[in-house]
Amino acid sequence: MNYLQFMLIIVIQVGKGCESQPDFQLLSAVIQNIVIGALEPNAITLEIITNYSNSENQKLNTDLVEEILNINTKTEKPIPIILNPPWDSLMDDRLKVRLLMVQRAEDVRLDLDGSVKYYRSLKSVLTTTPKYVVIFTSYQFNEMERIFQLLFDAYILDVIIVMPHTNQVQIFTYFPYHSNRGCSNVLPVLVYTTDGFEKQQPITYDTIFPRKTLNFHQCPIRVVVWNTPPYIDIIGDPTGTVSLQGFDASILDILSKELNFSVEVVPNDPPKIISGVVYPNGTAAGVFKMLQQQRLNLTIGWISCMLNRLEVSTGSNAYFTDHYVIILKNNIMVTPNELLLRPFTKSTWRVLICVAIVKIALLRMIRKHKIKFHSILLLAWLYFLFFFRVGYEGVMNHVITHPPYQPLPQTIEEFIEQNFTLFADDSTNRILDFIPHLKEISHVIHCNPLELLEQLDSLPPKFGIISTEAYIGHFMKMHMENRSDYSILEEIILTGVNCIYYPRGSFLAPVVDDILDWLSNSGIRDKLVKEIGMENVPHSTAVLRQFVYGDSKESSKSETF
């Protein structure tokens, strides 16, 4: 995670019925230590929220706020401090610290319902995760656990609770994934203590916010996948055990090993659809609705990176690039019957047949009645056949010297002009929403991408199927003997990039991005890509056209999606 990209919300809670009066000066010194050691190096804006102040300890609250406001006079690099900023300040890109003064755990929930929900409802890409520091002057450990539970439910892991005593200040956090305490653990763990001014150690960012997502200790991570080879191939056995294979399955396996978590596969809702849809009004269906409802931890497997999806979820860095192309049969050949009839149109052949019938009838009549000019009519018929033969043989000679292929289209424009029909599966059909002129000539076949490719030979003439190079390469890998029967439209339809998606603001996003970057830089990802078989994709129509006709057009630039 980039530690410069985060919002820190400091929650000050003054409890009722304290067993002893906390040392205000020592508490103030610890807060100053946190601000100077953990916040000031990152030039973070400090926002003080007094809406939940404890009226019973108003003087303590006022003095503490005054001390915090005066911190800038004691530092070399003053940071901006704002008192009770409006909600829309969360839209500001500046790094922030929210200092929230409360008297109970319920007030933390109220702030989460306000600030965090507003923050996550913004139609923008979230790159930060809120962090909390709770100054808690009560000894109610059950309240500490409740605060940790509220924040864990909001996907907030970087939390500390500062508990001041008469001559001591302790700092607690929680580790939800622990080898001894199990999963979803919210028990307080002591990470820092000081017994006085002289013994106070410097507080750094790593001291109060240790990384908690580097080892999940085999805790289950709920994942939604779907059967889309070569990305994900779901294989089951009679015992009910499910195994995953494919490119994205390999990525998920590397993530699980690096972070030490177990994969719990959960079905999509509804289970028969691939991926999901995000609607303009902010609602969603499929896997993105599940992400909105925080019913899973991540989803992977042929999911395009799209801005509207980031309005309801958090996406990873792009880790795979693929092209959407149109595959068609390259042997749009003239049939034997068409070859024999090719020199003339149907109307010409009708005229010839009619003349032949008339000629036969006239010859019989002439011979029967011994009519003059018999030789002249026969000579005319022979001349007619001669010119007909010359024309026919001339065309046939051209056909013999030039293979009888119909020119294949190279661009989308040619594809449409030649009256081709486009077929798409249910999931790929969503891409056509961005290409209206192709959607007008398309037909949806209710199946998955590989099932549609299996129907290549059974579809009607002059058709094309829109799919990705990965799907086509995987399909051709299993049908190499027929590879020469197909070709790819020269013009690329779209260039898509795939992402992993999490619930909005998930703590998994930063650590997974680090691993994805490592896979890219180390070359491991490229090695996994080669296993898909994308080198098996058929030649483009431009290559075939150059080979057959000796001409070629420059391919159009592809759109990027």
Side-chain angles (χ1 to χ4, degrees):
M1 176 186 294
N2 185 347
Y3 295 139
L4 295 181
Q5 296 181 341
F6 69 90
M7 173 191 297
L8 173 61
I9 306 174
I10 300 181
V11 182
I12 300 180
Q13 172 163 350
V14 182
K16 297 181 181 180
C18 297
E19 296 181 1
S20 59
Q21 186 66 26
D23 188 329
F24 171 76
Q25 295 298 329
L26 184 57
L27 173 61
S28 177
V30 171
I31 295 177
Q32 178 176 321
N33 195 350
I34 292 174
V35 173
I36 295 176
L39 307 183
E40 179 189 297
N42 298 318
I44 303 170
T45 299
L46 179 62
E47 296 183 345
I48 304 176
I49 310 300
T50 60
N51 297 335
Y52 306 111
S53 297
N54 188 347
S55 58
E56 297 182 5
N57 293 285
Q58 189 63 45
K59 185 178 185 306
L60 177 62
N61 296 336
T62 303
D63 293 343
L64 193 55
V65 170
E66 184 177 350
E67 284 290 326
I68 295 172
L69 291 173
N70 291 330
I71 287 179
N72 276 340
T73 62
K74 305 174 184 179
T75 62
E76 297 180 357
K77 299 178 180 179
I79 59 175
I81 299 178
I82 305 174
L83 186 62
N84 293 322
W87 287 121
D88 58 7
S89 68
L90 294 172
M91 299 179 64
D92 193 337
D93 290 335
R94 292 177 302 174
L95 307 176
K96 301 177 182 68
V97 173
R98 283 174 61 86
L99 176 58
L100 178 64
M101 306 184 72
V102 300
Q103 60 183 355
R104 52 187 179 149
E106 179 65 17
D107 294 329
V108 177
R109 186 191 65 80
L110 293 175
D111 188 68
L112 288 172
D113 289 343
S115 63
V116 175
K117 286 190 175 180
Y118 177 83
Y119 178 65
R120 290 180 176 173
S121 68
L122 298 176
K123 290 190 175 182
S124 58
V125 179
L126 297 181
T127 58
T128 61
T129 302
K131 303 176 189 293
Y132 273 75
V133 174
V134 181
I135 302 180
F136 196 68
T137 57
S138 172
Y139 300 104
Q140 303 174 21
F141 280 87
N142 60 332
E143 281 289 285
M144 292 174 61
E145 290 186 31
R146 188 182 174 200
I147 292 173
F148 286 145
Q149 186 66 59
L150 288 169
L151 294 166
F152 177 66
D153 292 341
Y155 287 108
I156 299 173
L157 298 188
D158 290 331
V159 181
I160 61 171
I161 292 180
V162 180
M163 178 175 286
H165 303 273
T166 303
N167 297 311
Q168 186 185 57
V169 174
Q170 295 176 315
I171 297 178
F172 295 87
T173 188
Y174 78 109
F175 293 87
Y177 305 104
H178 196 275
S179 58
N180 297 326
R181 300 183 181 90
C183 307
S184 303
N185 170 67
V186 293
L187 293 176
V189 177
L190 182 65
V191 294
Y192 180 88
T193 183
T194 179
D195 296 325
F197 292 98
E198 296 180 356
K199 298 182 180 181
Q200 189 174 171
Q201 298 294 324
I203 299 177
T204 64
Y205 181 90
D206 292 335
T207 301
I208 57 177
F209 298 128
R211 297 291 294 273
K212 302 177 182 179
T213 55
L214 296 179
N215 190 341
F216 286 80
H217 300 281
Q218 284 300 301
C219 289
I221 295 297
R222 295 170 60 84
V223 181
V224 168
V225 296
W226 32 81
N227 196 51
T228 53
Y231 301 98
I232 294 284
D233 191 4
I234 302 176
I235 301 174
D237 58 29
T239 64
T241 303
V242 174
S243 62
L244 304 178
Q245 295 181 5
F247 172 75
D248 283 306
S250 298
I251 297 291
L252 181 60
D253 182 61
I254 292 173
L255 293 176
S256 67
K257 290 178 179 178
E258 290 294 321
L259 300 178
N260 193 26
F261 63 76
S262 60
V263 176
E264 179 184 348
V265 177
V266 296
N268 198 4
D269 184 16
K272 292 186 178 180
I273 72 169
I274 296 177
S275 185
V277 181
V278 177
Y279 300 106
N281 62 359
T283 61
V287 73
F288 292 100
K289 183 177 180 180
M290 298 179 69
L291 289 171
Q292 275 187 315
Q293 299 172 345
Q294 298 184 353
R295 293 159 56 190
L296 68 152
N297 297 109
L298 66 87
T299 180
I300 184 174
W302 190 47
I303 315 179
S304 297
C305 306
M306 299 173 63
L307 287 177
N308 68 325
R309 292 174 173 176
L310 296 178
E311 295 175 2
V312 300
S313 62
T314 293
S316 71
N317 294 338
Y319 66 94
F320 180 68
T321 301
D322 203 356
H323 298 304
Y324 286 84
V325 296
I326 294 177
I327 182 173
L328 37 80
K329 297 196 72 172
N330 64 23
N331 57 341
I332 308 178
M333 295 183 62
V334 179
T335 63
N337 291 334
E338 290 176 333
L339 181 60
L340 290 174
L341 300 176
R342 182 169 181 154
F344 304 117
T345 62
K346 292 181 180 180
S347 59
T348 303
W349 284 109
R350 291 191 187 102
V351 170
L352 176 62
I353 294 173
C354 291
V355 171
I357 294 173
V358 171
K359 177 258 181 185
I360 294 173
L362 286 176
L363 284 178
R364 287 182 179 179
M365 185 181 299
I366 290 172
R367 288 173 180 173
K368 181 177 181 180
H369 300 284
K370 298 181 180 181
I371 300 175
K372 296 180 180 181
F373 308 112
H374 170 268
S375 299
I376 296 176
L377 291 175
L378 184 58
L379 181 62
W381 170 249
L382 293 175
Y383 270 112
F384 174 79
L385 289 180
F386 174 75
F387 287 114
F388 176 83
R389 179 179 177 180
V390 169
Y392 186 85
E393 289 181 349
V395 175
M396 290 302 296
N397 179 68
H398 181 271
V399 170
I400 293 172
T401 56
H402 294 77
Y405 285 92
Q406 295 181 5
L408 293 170
Q410 296 189 64
T411 65
I412 296 176
E413 183 180 359
E414 290 181 356
F415 185 84
I416 297 174
E417 288 177 351
Q418 294 184 25
N419 296 320
F420 274 76
T421 301
L422 185 64
F423 291 92
D425 61 88
D426 290 309
S427 53
T428 310
N429 184 54
R430 303 188 193 114
I431 302 300
L432 296 179
D433 292 335
F434 300 92
I435 320 172
H437 53 291
L438 276 182
K439 193 173 184 65
E440 293 177 357
I441 63 169
S442 66
H443 296 276
V444 180
I445 297 181
H446 300 294
C447 61
N448 65 44
L450 277 183
E451 289 173 345
L452 180 56
L453 290 173
E454 291 287 351
Q455 303 180 43
L456 267 172
D457 294 326
S458 61
L459 292 175
K462 303 196 75 171
F463 73 91
I465 293 177
I466 182 170
S467 190
T468 67
E469 288 185 341
Y471 275 125
I472 295 173
H474 180 71
F475 171 76
M476 289 301 166
K477 190 176 181 179
M478 300 180 292
H479 300 79
M480 286 301 294
E481 68 280 3
N482 300 326
R483 179 173 177 264
S484 60
D485 293 342
Y486 311 105
S487 59
I488 301 296
L489 190 73
E490 172 68 12
E491 181 177 359
I492 295 174
I493 309 304
L494 288 172
T495 298
V497 289
N498 293 353
C499 288
I500 300 173
Y501 286 93
Y502 326 87
R504 199 157 169 84
S506 172
F507 49 77
L508 274 171
V511 66
V512 170
D513 278 346
D514 290 343
I515 297 176
L516 292 178
D517 291 341
W518 168 69
L519 290 176
S520 176
N521 296 331
S522 64
I524 296 177
R525 184 198 61 184
D526 295 336
K527 182 179 179 181
L528 295 176
V529 170
K530 290 182 179 179
E531 296 178 2
I532 295 177
M534 296 176 68
E535 69 278 2
N536 299 321
V537 172
H539 293 301
S540 70
T541 53
V543 173
L544 293 175
R545 201 156 168 174
Q546 174 70 23
F547 176 76
V548 175
Y549 294 101
D551 65 56
S552 178
K553 296 182 180 180
E554 293 184 1
S555 59
S556 303
K557 293 182 179 180
S558 65
E559 303 175 56
T560 300
F561 172 61

